[in-house]
Amino acid sequence: MANKRDLSLNEYNISKYRYRELKNFCLQYREKKMQLSSITLLGSAGTESNGKGNAISDRTANDAIRITELKRDIEIIETSAREVDETISKYILANVVDEISWEYMDAPIGRRQFYAARRKFFYILSQKK
């Protein structure tokens, strides 16, 4: 993000560091979706042992916890976009997840309105996260 300008969210009382945290959280969206699809509960190795007969972890339980975390993170991003405006939520997601600017999308609203909606998205996301 060295060549990208930080979004000013002072009107929502969000610091530039909080914005960066939220932006990076959104940039992990595709990675989280891929991880979610790759985790399978079938064929779990069961429990592992530390050699003294004590169970260290249960892979199935760990996978279930990870699935829950991934689903929650994905849902937070998606619902935040829908709460801004259902009709432009896919454009907001394309912008914050894939870094596609308004100029390269066929968004049904103007540039200024789009970026105002994007700022509102980060406000809602900040409240949920």
Side-chain angles (χ1 to χ4, degrees):
M1 271 180 51
N3 62 350
K4 300 228 179 224
R5 193 178 80 192
D6 285 333
L7 183 63
S8 176
L9 295 171
N10 294 335
E11 66 193 87
Y12 293 112
N13 200 27
I14 296 174
S15 72
K16 73 177 182 178
Y17 301 110
R18 176 68 173 162
Y19 163 71
R20 288 177 185 174
E21 176 187 349
L22 296 170
K23 178 66 176 169
N24 287 319
F25 179 71
C26 291
L27 292 174
Q28 295 173 39
Y29 177 85
R30 297 277 181 230
E31 181 182 333
K32 289 174 187 280
K33 293 214 40 139
M34 285 178 43
Q35 286 177 5
L36 182 60
S37 67
S38 71
I39 295 175
T40 177
L41 295 176
L42 300 175
S44 176
T47 57
E48 299 170 0
S49 175
N50 65 0
K52 299 178 185 174
N54 300 327
I56 296 173
S57 67
D58 180 350
R59 182 171 170 205
T60 303
N62 291 340
D63 285 349
I65 291 167
R66 184 68 182 144
I67 287 170
T68 303
E69 291 170 348
L70 291 168
K71 283 183 178 180
R72 185 196 71 228
D73 290 350
I74 291 166
E75 186 65 21
I76 287 172
I77 294 169
E78 291 174 350
T79 57
S80 296
R82 283 193 302 270
E83 284 182 29
V84 172
D85 187 339
E86 187 75 35
T87 59
I88 63 166
S89 63
K90 69 178 185 178
Y91 300 102
I92 291 173
L93 284 176
N95 179 265
V96 300
V97 169
D98 300 321
E99 296 187 300
I100 300 172
S101 67
W102 176 87
E103 291 79 11
Y104 297 102
M105 293 186 281
D106 192 24
I109 62 172
R111 184 180 199 282
R112 195 171 353 151
Q113 293 85 3
F114 177 79
Y115 285 107
R118 181 174 175 248
R119 286 190 297 274
K120 185 176 178 183
F121 163 81
F122 280 111
Y123 170 73
I124 293 170
L125 183 64
S126 181
Q127 299 300 307
K128 291 180 179 288
K129 189 167 175 323

